[in-house]
Each structure stands twice: as structure tokens, then as C-alpha cells.
Amino acid sequence: RIFVLGIGFFTLCFLMTSLGGQFSAKRLGDSPFTIRTEVMGALESRGVLRRMSDMLEMLMKRMDILARLENSTDFHKGDEARFPLDRFQPAAGLMERIQAIAQNVSDIAMKVDQILRNSLLNGKVMEGRRDQCEVPRDPKYPDCAGKVEWMRARWTSDPCYAFFGVDGTECSFLIYLSEVEWFCPPLPWRNRTAAAPSPPPRPPVQAAFRRDLAPLLELIGTGKESLSFMKKRIRHLAQQWLRAARRLEQKLKGRQRDQKHILIHIGFLTEESGDVFSPRVLKGGPLGEMVQWADILAALFLLGHSLRVTVSLKELQSHLGVPPGRGNCPLTSPLPFDLIYTDYHGLQQMKQHMGLSFKKYRCRVRVIDTFGTEPAYNHEEYATLRGFRTNWGYWNLQPTQFMTMFPHTPDNSFMGFVSEELNQTERQLIKSNKVSSMAVVYGKEASIWKGKEKFLAILNKYMEIHGTVYYETQRPPEVPAFVKNHGLLPQHEFQQLLRKAKLFIGFGFPYEGPAPLEAIANGCVFLQARFNPPHSSLNHEFFRGKPTSREASVSSQHPYAEDFIGKPHVWTVDYNNSEEFEAAVKTIMRTQVDPYLPYEYTCEGMLERIHAYIQHQDFCTTSSPPLPPKTKSPAMQSPASPLALSPNATHLVWSPSASRDPRAWPPVDSLQVWVSESRQTCTETCRRHGLVCEPTFFRFLNKEEVFLQLSITCDSTEYEMNHLYPAVAENVHECYLQKEPLLFSCAGYNTKYRRLCPCRDFQQGQVALCRDCL
């Protein structure tokens, strides 16, 4: 009897589940009793409920027959004494429950029948519209028909379309494409149901310098070794940051600054990107990226901006308002952030999950890019056609949206990082405690030492050599026995080692890290190898695949130290010449140097630079100059050039009589126009004249009359896409102007061309800013 009752109960459950599934099969997540006229018709709905009621009634009758059979048979007579009557009381309760369910189902069927009868007439009108919408032919929306065709074939490819109400009907396609996306015109009959207008913009809040970094440490969060490293660095430099913020506040003299809402998404720390850095923090892995991110966080916070920090994809999606699905749909609401700082990993994640909104909001992105992205690699079409395509480029951003660790190329914005500053007492103490015969090798990984025995043997003749190579159990065989290896040191202990050492020596790798600047700031001389020929993506595996050629620029392990600091703090020699190497070591031992730190790598220098970028860089409202006409009528008069020949007739400057746009940044009166030599980039040309190439000024050079002003003969002038233009091929008197503004580039050269180069002045110790740029 228990078995029979159990079978009956589970049959009931199965029937409820199976029949209920008919209601929800077409819409995931609907209740089995949710009635949608667009999913099923009235007859189908009533029929399903009626069948359920009939089956329940049949089940009750069968159970009643079983009960009567049990009373009339002698099958269990011998067991009655062992099975008291109260053991069968639940059967009566089960019968009552089944009876109640049957009655409820019957009631539901009646109510559904009434609802469907009342709504069917109204539903027919709307259903007709949903089924009979036609694709509008509006020249203002040329892509509408193609997008509708795509939706017909692919609307089920991403659940996000259903999230926005797409159900496979023609009208739902047009509603989505006109109200969520923007490829089709609004439907006239949707006026009353149109989405509510966007909320008014937030009233501007003035940014105020902060006096405490503790809230930032809470904001960064926990759970990763990388985050712990960054928080320790911020705590260690806290007092220097706070003093620098007070100095900059005094320098700005109460200037009004709008507070920005900023999202900081550190993509390389997410699990989806592999988070290769966190496990290596304690094993001597590269820390340069984390040093830079810690300093960016500190600077943005002290400047008074509102920050959100994410290191997971889930948090990123939540902050952006990403709809559920695979990332093909736009965001569910306007982007709540004025700026987003991320890296290449984060940029890829944003593109994958923001849909069309990525294109709309990418002007707000700032990409922290260690080695830089040159314009030739950034422009997708050009990179594909000319062989510049790599795994990291072709984003079609403004090149100055990429922010680098060192000023590699002025095409990108120089973000930088900070090194610890010393007060006068500390500087004197370091000078008095220096050991002139002590050297520290730059390189925490054993592979860097491989094949360097010859240099180390020469150095060992004059100096005691110290290393900081990581190892777990056994000393790496690449490190000679005469080297005193300290293993991986915490940052403050490494600083103490540098404060005693006379020499910090690099063996060619790693490229352009923060350690040489820290060594120089602690009174060391930095000795590095000269590369001949210079390393680049054309001849060296490390740079291959990165979105930069770096032609002729990586002439040593640390080009910034070589070009912007130089002797006596930085020595660059040919390591293949043993005599030159040995002579440099002996001279360094006799040379007295003071601790030195370029202003742009101090806390105040970085705060000043980021403040200027936030206040003046606007990639969302700046429009590209219109393309020049292919043909010019003789009656067309070119506007007067704002440039004039300099007094010594060697270059062009901004004419004193020309108007100035007060919003232009950098200010146009800092512009100078020089012509390069055939083997020089614009970066080198400007530096040769004590200036910096400024790519935002290219638009003033990209005109035929500029060639005339420079006395350059042009038998013909062509507009083309080429990252070397504007330029002149002197041998044939052919002049070339730039057709694509995104390709204006300070980098690159060709022996065929002499380039027109826009240069500007710069502040001493702050190459990113012109004299009047703050």
C-alpha cells in the first residue's frame, strides 16, 4: 500500500513538472503558470490546464479503487496485527491534498480562460504590430536593414538580446535596434513606451587634495600578493606623497578642478588573464608594473578624485552595467565613469563585454602601456595593410591615450612612476657610508647572469659583487661563487644595499625597469651595455610582437637613463670591448656622485603631470580635422597660415599675429616646425634642437603652404595614409600630406623622406609638459 501511494505521489509530481514545462519552454525563467500570449495561444493554454485537471481526477479515481480493493481482499489479513490502522492515516491526508490541487488547477483553468478571453482582442492588435513591422527606409539610418537581417539569423546567439526584450519577431528587432542600439529610427507607435530620458548630468563637484591615504588602502582590497605589495609601497611613501600634494596645492593657488569619477581596472591581475604577477611577487618576478600602478592609485586619490578599483572581471561587469550574456549588447545604462584607467588585458576585457558601448566610450579610456604603442600599430587598417599588425595593437585610439612608464615616444603620454626622495640628512649619510669597491648586479633571475662570466671576472678584480637572485633551495649555478648573493630582498632592504654600493651594473636585461632610477637616487652610478645595432622589433625577439618598432631608440638597456640623465650618473659602454669596460669601472670607482632623481620621477612631478592630463586631455570632444579636398578650384583661397618663418629663417614658429585658441593644449605658441634629416625620426629631430616632438601639433603642419614657407619645392602633392607624412621626397620634389589623423607620428623614418616635425619646449625635469602647460 505504501508502495502504491508512493508511486501515485511521484506520478503527480512528474505530471506537474512535465506539464508545467510546456509553459516555460520558450522563455527561460518564467513560472509554469505565467501566461504570455506571444508564447502560446489561448486554446493551447486552456487545453494544457484542462489536461492537467483531467489527469489529477483520473489519479484520484485510481487511488480510490486501490483503497476499495485493499478493504475487500484477504491479502494482508495475517499482517493486520502488525500494521496498526494509524499507519495508513497519511493516505487520507494525501488524498485530501490531491483533491485540493485538482480543485486549484481547475480554478486556474477557469481564470486563465477568462483572462485570455478578455485580453485576446487587445493582444491581437499588438500582436499584429509585432508580426507586421516593416524595416524603415530612412537614409539617415543606412545600416538598419542589414542589422535587422543579422538579428533574424543571430538573435539567439547571445542571451543579452532576450534580456532587452527581443523575442524573434520583426518588431522586437526594430525596437531593440532603435532604442537600445542606434541603427534604426524610432518606431512612431513606440512614442508612449519609449525609454525614459537619460538622467541629467551630475552637478560638478570640486576636487580637493586629500590628507590621508588610509581610505585608499581599504579601497584597494586584499586577497592577492600583488595588492599587498602595492599597499606596502603606498604606506612606505605616504609621507612623501602627502608633502608633494601640499606643495602642488600651493602651486595651483586654489585653481578650480572638477572631481572625476574614475574606474581603475588592473586587467593583468584578473584570473581571466592568468594573473601571472601575483605568484611571482615573492619569487623575484618583475615588479615594475605593480610599482607604477601603486603610484597611479596614490596620485589619483591624493588629487581628490572619486575612485573604484577592480581586479576581477565580475567586478568590472558590475561597475560598468554589463547586461547578462556574451557581450554583444550595449551597457544597460550610461557609463558612470568620466575616466577608466586600465591595461591591455583590461582593454580586451572591456571590448569583449561592453558591446557597441566600447566604441562609444573608448575616448574615456587611458591605457597603462609599459613599452608604448606607436600610431602605425594602433591604426587597424593601416597596420593590416603595411605589416604592423601585432597581438597588442590596432585599437584605433588616439595614440596619447596610451600612457607609458618612460617617455619612449611622444606619440604616447608619459605616465611614469616615482622613486623615493632623500632629505639632506639622508643624502649626506649616504655619501659618507658609500663603499667605493662595492657593486650590485641588476637582475633577480638567474637567467640574466648566464654567459656574463667574462664581465663579472673583470669587475671582480676591482669590486666586491653582490646579487639578489631568487632561489628556493639551491644556489643558482649561473651565479659565480665569488658573488655574494643575498637572495630576494624586501624593498627596504634592497634600498639599504643600494645606499652602500658604489656601482649598479646591468647586463642588458631587463629593459627599462625602475631599479636603475632607484639606484641613481641612492647615490649609485649605473653602468649599462650599449647595443650596436640598437634593439628593436626588427632584430630582437623581446620586442617582436609588441606594438612598437622602437627603431634606433633602444640603444642601451635603459635609454631614458642614457638620454635624459647621462654621465656622471649613467655610463653606457660597449661590453664587447673588454678594455673599454675595464676602463669605465676604474673611472667610476674614482668618481664622486651625489644622489640624483629627475623631478618627473618625484611624487610632486607625477602629481603635476597627472593633474595636467586630467584637466586638459579630452579625447571625447576633440574632433579630427576634416580631410582635404581631392581637387582644389583656382578660385578657392586657402586661409592664411598661422605659422611664420623664424627670425633666423631655420624653422617655423606660431605667428604673433595669428589667433590662439585658449582651450588648445599644449598652447600653440610653444610650437616650432623643423625639417628632419633623411635618417631621423621626428623624436630625434626635435631632441637635436633641445625640444620635444608634439604630435597634437601635426594638424598645423599638414598643409601645402607649410612646404612653401620652408622653401621646399613641390612638383606634386599627394594625400596618403602613411605614418611618416607630412614629408618630402627631395630627389623628385614630391610632397606628401597625411590623410589619416590617427597616423600622425613622431616615430619612424625612411631614407627617402625628410619629415616635417612639430616640436615644443618643455619644463626642466618634466619632459611631458611645456613651460606653460600646467
Side-chain angles (χ1 to χ4, degrees), residues 375 399-400 402 404 406-414 681-684 686-687 691-696 745-747 758 760 767:
T400 39
F402 297 98
T404 58
F406 292 96
H408 310 299
T409 169
D411 293 321
N412 304 145
S413 298
F414 163 46
T681 66
C682 280
T683 301
E684 295 170 309
C686 294
R687 186 180 299 163
L691 303 167
V692 174
C693 183
E694 179 52 61
T696 60
S745 177
C746 294
R760 63 160 170 84
V767 70

Side-chain angles (χ1 to χ4, degrees), residues 46-191:
R46 288 195 295 269
V48 169
L49 288 170
R50 190 173 294 112
R51 284 196 300 274
M52 182 182 289
S53 179
D54 292 344
M55 287 182 180
L56 286 170
E57 187 177 353
M58 185 182 299
L59 180 62
M60 288 172 55
K61 289 179 179 178
R62 290 180 179 179
M63 292 185 69
D64 185 58
I65 293 170
L66 286 172
R68 285 199 302 272
L69 284 172
E70 190 273 332
N71 290 333
S72 62
T73 184
D74 295 329
F75 186 73
H76 290 295
K77 279 185 179 179
D79 296 327
E80 284 179 355
R82 286 181 292 154
F83 293 92
L85 186 60
D86 60 0
R87 294 291 299 271
F88 296 96
Q89 294 302 316
L94 179 61
M95 292 289 291
E96 292 175 2
R97 292 191 185 96
I98 294 174
Q99 220 167 5
I101 292 171
Q103 184 61 46
N104 287 340
V105 172
S106 178
D107 292 343
I108 290 171
M110 293 176 64
K111 290 178 181 178
V112 168
D113 188 69
Q114 292 174 359
I115 292 170
L116 292 177
R117 286 179 186 277
N118 293 334
S119 63
L120 193 56
L121 292 177
N122 295 333
K124 282 181 179 179
V125 177
M126 181 61 67
E127 194 68 28
R129 278 183 172 176
R130 296 178 66 87
D131 292 336
Q132 297 175 12
C133 284
E134 293 184 2
V135 179
R137 305 296 177 183
D138 189 331
K140 296 180 182 178
Y141 299 88
D143 299 323
C144 184
K147 291 293 181 180
V148 171
E149 189 66 30
W150 188 95
M151 291 291 288
R152 289 192 193 110
R154 300 291 304 278
W155 76 273
T156 58
S157 63
D158 194 323
C160 72
Y161 297 117
F163 173 83
F164 282 110
V166 177
D167 59 11
T169 60
E170 202 81 352
C171 285
S172 71
F173 298 154
L174 291 171
I175 292 169
Y176 174 83
L177 291 170
S178 61
E179 296 178 14
V180 180
E181 297 184 6
W182 44 89
F183 293 104
C184 294
L187 300 174
W189 55 273
R190 286 285 295 182
N191 285 343

Side-chain angles (χ1 to χ4, degrees), residues 649-669:
T650 57
H651 61 282
L652 300 181
V653 297
W654 194 264
S655 174
S657 60
S659 61
R660 292 172 173 79
D661 182 355
R663 297 169 299 176
W665 194 85
V668 292
D669 51 8

Side-chain angles (χ1 to χ4, degrees), residues 51 95 156 331 347 376 450 452 546 618 643 694 765 774:
R51 284 196 300 274
M95 292 289 291
T156 58
L331 303 182
L347 194 63
K450 189 174 182 179
K452 306 302 187 297
K546 293 181 171 60
D618 185 354
L643 304 176
E694 179 52 61
L774 189 58

Side-chain angles (χ1 to χ4, degrees), residues 411-476:
D411 293 321
N412 304 145
S413 298
F414 163 46
M415 171 60 77
F417 58 94
V418 304
S419 287
E420 188 170 357
E421 298 176 71
L422 305 175
N423 58 38
Q424 194 59 36
T425 302
E426 291 171 326
R427 293 164 67 91
Q428 291 300 325
L429 188 62
I430 286 176
K431 289 178 67 176
S432 61
N433 290 337
K434 278 291 177 186
V435 179
S436 61
S437 59
M438 178 179 174
V440 175
V441 175
Y442 181 18
K444 293 177 288 186
E445 297 185 10
S447 59
I448 296 172
W449 295 65
K450 189 174 182 179
K452 306 302 187 297
E453 296 83 1
K454 183 178 180 180
F455 313 132
L456 290 169
I458 296 174
L459 184 61
N460 188 49
K461 290 166 52 179
Y462 303 95
M463 309 184 86
E464 180 181 78
I465 305 174
H466 294 250
T468 56
V469 181
Y470 169 81
Y471 64 95
E472 292 183 355
T473 57
Q474 189 173 358
R475 179 187 174 100

Side-chain angles (χ1 to χ4, degrees), residues 228-431:
S228 299
F229 173 87
M230 288 190 276
K231 290 166 72 172
K232 287 178 183 177
R233 176 175 175 82
I234 292 171
R235 276 193 293 264
H236 180 69
L237 295 174
Q239 293 307 310
Q240 293 193 23
W241 278 117
L242 293 171
R243 286 195 297 268
R246 287 193 292 269
R247 290 194 296 267
L248 180 58
E249 185 177 17
Q250 294 170 359
K251 188 182 295 186
L252 295 177
K253 299 176 182 177
R255 193 177 306 172
Q256 296 295 301
R257 301 180 301 116
D258 289 344
Q259 185 186 65
K260 304 293 185 181
H261 293 264
I262 301 175
L263 174 65
I264 300 165
H265 177 61
I266 310 177
F268 72 82
L269 292 183
T270 61
E271 298 301 328
E272 290 75 13
S273 68
D275 188 14
V276 297
F277 284 89
S278 290
R280 301 176 67 185
V281 170
L282 301 179
K283 298 182 179 181
L287 303 180
E289 288 86 349
M290 284 176 285
V291 164
Q292 188 180 34
W293 274 109
D295 296 345
I296 291 169
L297 285 164
L300 292 171
F301 185 80
L302 287 175
L303 287 170
H305 300 293
S306 173
L307 308 184
R308 290 289 180 273
V309 182
T310 68
V311 292
S312 78
L313 186 56
K314 186 177 180 180
E315 288 177 312
L316 174 69
Q317 293 172 319
S318 174
H319 286 308
L320 293 179
V322 174
R326 301 187 179 93
N328 289 306
C329 299
L331 303 182
T332 57
S333 58
L335 186 70
F337 301 103
D338 303 303
L339 294 170
I340 300 177
Y341 286 81
T342 189
D343 52 25
Y344 261 122
H345 293 283
L347 194 63
Q348 182 64 48
Q349 291 168 351
M350 288 169 55
K351 182 179 180 182
Q352 182 179 353
H353 294 278
M354 289 176 68
L356 288 175
S357 294
F358 178 78
K359 185 175 182 180
K360 180 178 180 180
Y361 293 120
R362 64 183 176 183
C363 60
R364 303 188 191 184
V365 174
R366 306 294 183 265
V367 185
I368 307 305
D369 178 9
T370 304
F371 291 98
T373 299
E374 294 175 4
Y377 294 82
N378 171 61
H379 192 281
E380 184 174 15
E381 179 186 357
Y382 185 76
T384 303
L385 292 174
R386 299 296 185 93
F388 290 105
R389 195 175 178 95
T390 67
N391 292 333
W392 300 103
Y394 58 88
W395 287 95
N396 293 323
L397 300 178
Q398 292 292 333
T400 39
Q401 287 180 255
F402 297 98
M403 299 188 150
T404 58
M405 184 173 284
F406 292 96
H408 310 299
T409 169
D411 293 321
N412 304 145
S413 298
F414 163 46
M415 171 60 77
F417 58 94
V418 304
S419 287
E420 188 170 357
E421 298 176 71
L422 305 175
N423 58 38
Q424 194 59 36
T425 302
E426 291 171 326
R427 293 164 67 91
Q428 291 300 325
L429 188 62
I430 286 176
K431 289 178 67 176

Side-chain angles (χ1 to χ4, degrees), residues 588-608:
I588 289 169
M589 292 181 66
R590 299 191 302 267
T591 304
Q592 295 296 320
V593 296
D594 293 330
Y596 173 72
L597 180 62
Y599 175 74
E600 54 202 353
Y601 284 98
T602 65
C603 293
E604 185 178 353
M606 186 167 184
L607 281 171
E608 185 179 277

